[in-house]
Amino acid sequence: WGVAIGVSCSICLTILGLFLGGVINSRAMGIGISVLFILLLGWLFVLWCSFVSEVLVGRGLGVFAVLGAQPAIFGLFAFFGSTAALLLVSAASQISFAADNQATRIRVTMLIQQLLFWAFLGMMLQIGPFHIEAFWVLAMFIGHYWLVMGFLMIGESPRRSRRVQRTLPQTIFMRSVAGLLMPGPGRGFLFAMAMLWSSGGVLLGLVLFQEQLMLASYRAEMLNSFGPGNLFAVAPTNVWKIFNAINACCLYPSLFLSIGYLCARWRLHRGRFELASGIGPAISLLAGFIAIGLLSLAAVVWHLSWTNYGGRSDYSVVCLLNWYWTVYEMGSRNGNSSSLTDVLLVFFLIPSSVLILPAIVLASRELLQLPLAIPERVVIDQQKPVQRLPAGESIDEIFGELR
C-alpha cells in the first residue's frame, strides 16, 4: 500500500506539473508558479514521511481493513485519479493545435468523475445511513464543482474550426445528447446544467432510499417491541427540508451560470479580437466568483444593518442573496422550512426563471447546428492507402516458393 500510494501520488503531482506548464504562457508567472510548486512538493514530502512512519510504527495496514475505511479509500483514489486524468486531458488540449477538438475529452472526464462520485455515495450508504443534514452538504459540494466547471466552459470561444464543425452529430437525438460533449460555450452551459440537476436528482433518490430503509427498520423494531398498534407512533424525519435545501443548491448555481452565460454572450464572445486559449475561461471564472462573493457579502452587511446592527440574527428576505445562509436555513432542523419555501418561490424562483429560461433557449441554438459536408480531398486523405506489391514480391508468394 505504501509503494502504491507513493507511485500514485508521484504520477498525480507529475500531471499537475504538466498542467501548470501547459496553462501558464508568461515566463515571469511560470517562474513564480514553479517556486510555489516546489514549496508544495516539499510540504507533501513531509506529509509523506509522516504517513510512512505511521504505517511502519503505528497502526500499520490495519486501518485499511476497517469496514468504513474501504469506501473512503476508494473515494480518495477515485478523486485523485479522476482529477489527475482531468488535468492531463486539459494539459493535452492546451498544447494541441488550434483546429482540434479541445473540449470533448475534458467533458467526458468530468462525466466519469461524476459517475465515480455517485458510486462513492452508494458505497458509503451501504456502510450505514447518512446524517440527514449531510445530504445538503454534499449538494453544496456538487454545486460548487459544477459552478467552477460551468464558468470555465461558458468562457470558451464560440468560434469553431471547420474540422470540428464536420464532426458534429447529425441526428436530432445525437445532437441533444452527444452534442453536449462538443465544444462551445452554449453546449458547455447546458452540459453543466444537466450534470448539476442530475446530481441533485441522485441525491434526492438517495434521501428517499435511506428514509425507506430507516422506516422499515423502525417498523420491525416497533412490531417486535410494542406490537402493531403503535406502528404510526414514530414521527417521520422532516425530509422536506432536505428536499428544499438540495433544490436550492441546484437553483443558485443555475442562476449564477445563467447570468454568467448571458454576460459572456453579450460582452466576452463579441469581442473584436480572438482571445488566447485559456484566457476566456479564466476571465469568466474570476469574474463569476468575484460577483458571487460581493453579492453574498452585500447581503450579510445589508441584513445586519437592517436588523439594528446585529441585534437580531433571524433569517430575512434580504438573505436570499446569500447562497450559503439560505441553504443552511433550509437544511437545518431548526429553520422554518415552510416560510422559507414560500419566500424562495415568491422572491427568488419566479424572478430567476426570467434569467434561466432565456439562457437555456439561447444556448440550445448551438445544438441545432448541422455538421458541415466533408470535402472530397479530406475523404481521400482519411482513407488508408492500399499498398500493392508487384507479383512475386509479397510475403505469401515468397514463402510459397520456399515451400
Side-chain angles (χ1 to χ4, degrees):
W1 274 107
V3 174
I5 295 176
V7 173
S8 303
C9 293
S10 301
I11 294 175
C12 293
L13 292 174
T14 304
I15 294 175
L16 177 60
L18 288 174
F19 173 76
L20 295 176
V23 170
I24 300 171
N25 297 323
S26 175
R27 184 174 182 180
M29 187 177 295
I31 295 175
I33 295 296
S34 299
V35 173
L36 295 178
F37 186 62
I38 292 173
L39 295 177
L40 174 64
L41 292 179
W43 180 64
L44 292 177
F45 175 73
V46 175
L47 292 181
W48 173 245
C49 292
S50 302
F51 173 76
V52 171
S53 63
E54 180 67 21
V55 169
L56 293 178
V57 301
R59 295 181 59 185
L61 299 180
V63 68
F64 298 104
V66 181
L67 182 62
Q70 295 175 2
I73 295 171
F74 168 78
L76 288 176
F77 273 94
F79 171 74
F80 286 106
S82 59
T83 304
L86 182 61
L87 295 178
L88 183 60
V89 296
S90 301
S93 65
Q94 291 293 326
I95 62 177
S96 179
F97 55 95
D100 190 17
N101 185 354
Q102 302 177 358
T104 300
R105 291 176 295 180
I106 298 178
R107 295 179 187 179
V108 169
T109 310
M110 293 180 190
L111 179 60
I112 293 174
Q113 193 171 31
Q114 185 68 64
L115 294 176
L116 291 175
F117 179 73
W118 292 346
F120 168 71
L121 292 182
M123 293 179 63
M124 292 296 294
L125 197 60
Q126 291 180 357
I127 300 298
F130 286 160
H131 195 276
I132 196 63
E133 296 181 359
F135 285 100
W136 65 264
V137 177
L138 293 173
M140 288 293 290
F141 280 109
I142 294 174
H144 280 87
Y145 177 81
W146 287 113
L147 191 62
V148 173
M149 297 303 173
F151 276 133
L152 290 174
M153 287 186 287
I154 64 178
E156 295 178 359
S157 174
R159 301 177 181 88
R160 289 168 295 277
S161 63
R162 300 180 66 87
R163 178 189 180 95
V164 174
Q165 293 181 16
R166 289 194 293 263
T167 60
L168 293 177
Q170 297 183 358
T171 62
I172 298 177
F173 176 76
M174 292 302 296
R175 286 202 301 267
S176 303
V177 178
L180 299 177
L181 302 176
M182 299 301 293
R187 293 186 179 91
F189 168 73
L190 295 177
F191 177 71
M193 295 281 285
M195 291 294 101
L196 176 65
W197 284 98
S198 62
S199 301
V202 170
L203 284 180
L204 293 177
L206 291 178
V207 171
L208 292 177
F209 178 71
Q210 175 174 299
E211 290 303 309
Q212 291 297 324
L213 291 180
M214 296 179 65
L215 183 60
S217 63
Y218 289 157
R219 285 178 175 176
E221 182 179 355
M222 292 181 63
L223 288 174
N224 294 330
S225 302
F226 306 102
N230 296 327
L231 179 61
F232 300 99
V234 177
T237 309
N238 195 357
V239 186
W240 185 247
K241 294 182 180 180
I242 304 302
F243 273 45
N244 294 332
I246 294 176
N247 290 327
C249 288
C250 297
L251 185 60
Y252 273 95
S254 301
L255 177 62
F256 296 148
L257 288 177
S258 301
I259 296 175
Y261 174 72
L262 293 176
C263 293
R265 184 183 176 88
W266 169 61
R267 188 63 183 170
L268 186 62
H269 298 160
R270 293 185 178 181
R272 295 182 178 179
F273 304 100
E274 180 70 17
L275 297 176
S277 178
I279 301 299
I283 292 176
S284 61
L285 179 64
L286 184 61
F289 272 92
I290 289 177
I292 293 173
L294 292 178
L295 189 65
S296 300
L297 183 61
V300 174
V301 173
W302 191 6
H303 174 74
L304 295 179
S305 302
W306 188 49
T307 55
N308 297 324
Y309 301 98
R312 292 174 52 195
S313 60
D314 298 335
Y315 185 85
S316 61
V317 181
V318 181
C319 300
L320 281 173
L321 300 176
N322 191 329
W323 176 22
Y324 305 99
W325 199 341
T326 303
V327 174
Y328 172 76
E329 289 292 335
M330 284 191 165
S332 177
R333 296 187 178 183
N334 298 325
N336 188 2
S337 61
S338 60
S339 61
L340 284 175
T341 304
D342 298 337
V343 169
L344 185 69
L345 290 176
V346 175
F347 293 98
F348 188 79
L349 181 59
I350 298 176
S352 64
S353 61
V354 180
L355 296 172
I356 296 177
L357 294 180
I360 294 176
V361 172
L362 291 175
S364 300
R365 293 181 178 180
E366 294 188 6
L367 298 178
L368 302 178
Q369 295 179 358
L370 296 175
L372 297 180
I374 303 177
E376 185 179 357
R377 58 178 180 82
V378 177
V379 175
I380 295 175
D381 293 338
Q382 290 178 352
Q383 292 178 353
K384 295 182 180 180
V386 180
Q387 187 177 6
R388 296 180 179 179
L389 296 176
E393 294 186 6
S394 65
I395 298 297
D396 295 334
E397 292 177 347
I398 292 174
F399 278 96
E401 293 292 336
L402 291 178
R403 286 195 296 268

